[in-house]
């Protein structure tokens, strides 16, 4: 039996398979790209009782399953992926039996962070600066192995995962090449601090997760950029493609993450078609978060915006409001109060906050609103100053 249309609630999950008599045991989830991820670490989830309760349990199971599988993928990397030419065999072990495409990218980023940090530690301990070019040479070897892999025969899913790894690894290579050219030799240099770095650390309690399911999970994925820290949200996103990361993408990453760190919204601005929305979606994928894109228009009223803000706060998701200044001035004015209520709730902490006169659940992960605008177009409103200060 198949539980369909799950992506109405989970961004990357198309359907779930159920087994048993009656069929109430969820055994796996299937992505929009056709990747199947079994609940092999957590065991089967039983769908009993109210639908809103067992679907909430499904969300929690998904995140815990992903976190346990990430630990297994990192362990597996040390067996098969340590040498540059062996990484393709590690990726081809990807899938339902070993680890999913999304976690392949997380491990790749985690290993780059770990190895580069080790280089800086060696230099700080007195080693010759040539250790950095040596690691860079190893990076090129790994990248060459991946390129050779995609030139051969591959399953569609493996090819997609390999191409995504190449996309992120090419950026990692470029950053290290730039740091070598600049003579960077310490961890606290801005060129390194300003990169989105993934680390696998001792677990101190994952926000929004069920404590009894955390038993035995000692480590957690944490992302650092500048002075901001984010826990990887372990939302299953499937095997969607990833953007090429450019210096401009790095800048929007820093701006958006600093906004979320300071508990504010973010306002990427620029001409149509320059990648504001896509960069926002790619950043949320890097953080393992679900993001909802809303195309704003003059027909949206303050009640619509109220429900959207309430949903983002309760689910811990990110919201991207396309062409936000197409909303009419009266609605934008009310949006100021609505968004400030959410921000004040996040700053105060706790499980609930007052929103529109009602006690509303606040997800421990917090949320973020990002608005995109095309300046100077006809029919666009100027944002109220009170709203501008809430959107970096």
């Amino acid at each position: 039996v198949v539980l369909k249309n799950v992506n109405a609630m989970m961004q990357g999950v198309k359907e779930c398979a159920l087994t048993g008599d009656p069929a109430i045991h969820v055994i796996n989830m299937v992505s929009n790209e056709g990747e199947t991820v079994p609940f092999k670490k957590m065991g089967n989830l039983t769908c009993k009782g109210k639908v809103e309760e067992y679907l909430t349990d499904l969300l929690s199971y998904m995140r815990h399953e992903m976190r346990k599988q990430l630990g297994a993928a990192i362990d597996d990397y040390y067996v098969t992926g340590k040498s540059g030419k062996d990484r393709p065999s590690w990726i081809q072990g990807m899938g339902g039996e070993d680890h999913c495409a999304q976690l392949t990218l997380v491990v790749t980023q985690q290993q780059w962070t770990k190895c580069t940090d080790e280089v800086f530690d060696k230099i700080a301990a007195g080693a010759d600066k040539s250790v950095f070019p040596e690691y860079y040479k190893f990076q090129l070897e790994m990248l060459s192995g991946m390129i050779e892999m995609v030139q051969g025969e591959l399953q569609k899913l493996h090819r997609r995962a390999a191409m995504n790894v190449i996309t992120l690894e090419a950026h990692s290579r470029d950053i290290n090449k730039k740091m070598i050219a600049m003579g960077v030799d310490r961890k606290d240099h801005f060129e390194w601090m300003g990169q989105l770095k993934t680390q696998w650390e001792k677990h101190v309690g994952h926000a929004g997760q069920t404590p009894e399911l955390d038993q035995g999970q000692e480590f957690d994925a944490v992302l650092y950029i500048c002075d901001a820290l984010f826990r990887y949200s372990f939302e299953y996103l499937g095997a969607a493609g990833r953007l090429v990361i450019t210096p401009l993408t790095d800048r929007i990453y820093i701006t958006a993450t600093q906004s979320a760190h300071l508990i504010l919204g973010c306002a990427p601005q620029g001409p149509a078609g320059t990648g504001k929305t896509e960069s926002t979606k790619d950043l949320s994928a890097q953080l393992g978060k679900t993001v909802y894109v809303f195309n704003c228009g003059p027909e949206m009223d303050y009640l619509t915006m109220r429900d959207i803000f309430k949903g983002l706060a309760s689910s811990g998701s990110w919201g991207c409001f396309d062409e936000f200044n197409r909303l009419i001035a009266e609605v934008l004015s009310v949006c100021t109060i609505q968004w400030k209520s959410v921000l004040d709730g996040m700053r105060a902490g706790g499980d609930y906050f007052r929103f529109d006169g009602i006690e509303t659940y606040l997800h421990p992960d917090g949320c973020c609103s990002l608005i995109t605008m095309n300046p100077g177009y006809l029919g666009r409103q100027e944002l109220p100053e009170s709203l501008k200060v809430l959107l970096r």
Side-chain angles (χ1 to χ4, degrees):
V1 176
V2 175
L3 179 65
K4 292 194 173 183
N5 299 324
V6 184
N7 52 9
M9 186 177 75
M10 300 182 194
Q11 185 175 315
V13 183
K14 181 182 179 184
E15 59 192 34
C16 291
L18 299 105
T19 188
D21 187 16
I24 58 172
H25 303 291
V26 182
I27 57 172
N28 65 33
M29 50 190 176
V30 181
S31 75
N32 298 313
E33 297 81 22
E35 181 183 47
T36 301
V37 180
F39 288 132
K40 60 180 182 179
K41 303 287 184 184
M42 294 296 299
N44 297 342
L45 169 68
T46 303
C47 298
K48 280 186 177 179
K50 297 178 181 178
V51 63
E52 61 269 26
E53 290 180 356
Y54 68 69
L55 286 178
T56 302
D57 289 341
L58 180 58
L59 271 170
S60 189
Y61 253 64
M62 169 189 72
R63 286 179 166 156
H64 283 84
E65 178 68 30
M66 292 287 284
R67 190 154 113 236
K68 285 191 171 184
Q69 285 203 23
L70 177 58
I74 291 172
D75 292 341
D76 187 38
Y77 180 88
Y78 282 102
V79 175
T80 57
K82 201 68 173 172
S83 163
K85 296 291 181 183
D86 286 343
R87 185 177 282 195
S89 60
W90 173 69
I91 286 181
Q92 291 195 57
M94 179 209 80
E97 296 307 313
D98 290 320
H99 42 274
C100 58
Q102 179 180 338
L103 297 182
T104 302
L105 298 179
V106 180
V107 176
T108 300
Q109 292 295 93
Q110 182 262 340
Q111 289 298 316
W112 169 56
T113 302
K114 180 175 179 290
C115 293
T116 306
D117 274 345
E118 285 175 353
V119 165
F120 289 136
D121 288 340
K122 287 176 183 175
I123 294 173
D128 191 86
K129 286 189 178 181
S130 63
V131 292
F132 207 167
E134 284 171 13
Y135 172 57
Y136 175 69
K137 186 179 177 183
F138 176 62
Q139 271 189 298
L140 295 180
E141 183 188 334
M142 289 194 294
L143 200 52
S144 299
M146 295 300 304
I147 292 168
E148 286 176 20
M149 176 185 176
V150 295
Q151 289 172 341
E153 290 291 325
L154 281 176
Q155 293 179 26
K156 186 177 180 181
L157 204 59
H158 289 161
R159 181 173 297 279
R160 187 188 289 260
M163 287 169 68
N164 287 344
V165 168
I166 289 171
T167 300
L168 294 185
E169 279 289 277
H171 174 253
S172 303
R173 174 206 63 189
D174 291 344
I175 292 300
N176 283 7
K177 183 179 181 181
K178 183 179 180 182
M179 289 195 293
I180 290 169
M182 291 175 65
V184 176
D185 58 1
R186 62 186 197 276
K187 286 182 183 179
D188 60 352
H189 194 287
F190 184 73
E191 278 301 320
W192 181 235
M193 293 283 286
Q195 294 301 316
L196 192 60
K197 304 177 288 294
T198 307
Q199 296 186 359
W200 184 238
E201 296 185 347
K202 276 283 185 183
H203 174 52
V204 290
H206 191 270
Q209 302 303 314
T210 318
E212 58 269 22
L213 296 180
D214 278 336
Q215 299 300 319
Q217 299 194 49
E218 293 184 17
F219 289 85
D220 212 352
V222 182
L223 294 105
Y224 295 90
I225 180 168
C226 297
D227 60 346
L229 178 153
F230 299 89
R231 295 198 179 284
Y232 190 76
S233 290
F234 290 103
E235 180 80 21
Y236 178 60
L237 302 171
R242 299 297 290 271
L243 286 185
V244 171
I245 303 174
T246 66
L248 188 58
T249 316
D250 281 331
R251 282 181 61 188
I252 196 172
Y253 276 15
I254 292 173
T255 306
T257 51
Q258 285 294 302
S259 301
H261 174 62
L262 296 170
I263 312 183
L264 289 169
C266 184
Q269 188 168 313
T274 48
K276 300 181 295 294
T277 302
E278 289 303 319
S279 296
T280 297
K281 287 161 66 178
D282 208 58
L283 174 59
S284 67
Q286 287 275 62
L287 299 174
K289 289 184 178 293
T290 183
V291 60
Y292 295 97
V293 179
F294 305 96
N295 295 299
C296 298
E299 64 279 356
M300 293 173 72
D301 62 10
Y302 76 98
L303 296 172
T304 307
M305 300 305 294
R306 177 198 67 186
D307 292 341
I308 290 173
F309 286 132
K310 186 189 292 185
L312 293 178
S314 298
S315 64
S317 308
W318 280 19
C320 180
F321 297 88
D322 252 351
E323 300 194 57
F324 192 66
N325 50 356
R326 288 184 65 210
L327 297 173
I328 61 174
E330 293 84 350
V331 173
L332 287 171
S333 182
V334 179
C335 278
T336 303
I337 306 300
Q338 292 170 335
W339 180 229
K340 189 172 189 307
S341 296
V342 176
L343 295 179
D344 287 346
M346 287 194 288
R347 289 193 181 104
D351 294 333
Y352 289 87
F353 73 111
R354 195 107 180 132
F355 186 78
D356 198 28
I358 300 169
E359 286 292 306
T360 303
Y361 175 68
L362 179 64
H363 198 280
D365 277 352
C367 67
C368 187
S369 288
L370 299 101
I371 67 169
T372 69
M373 298 185 293
N374 300 322
Y377 282 47
L378 288 175
R380 303 294 195 269
Q381 298 288 340
E382 180 69 22
L383 291 192
E385 292 299 320
S386 56
L387 185 54
K388 280 183 181 177
V389 298
L390 304 177
L391 298 157
R392 188 181 173 95

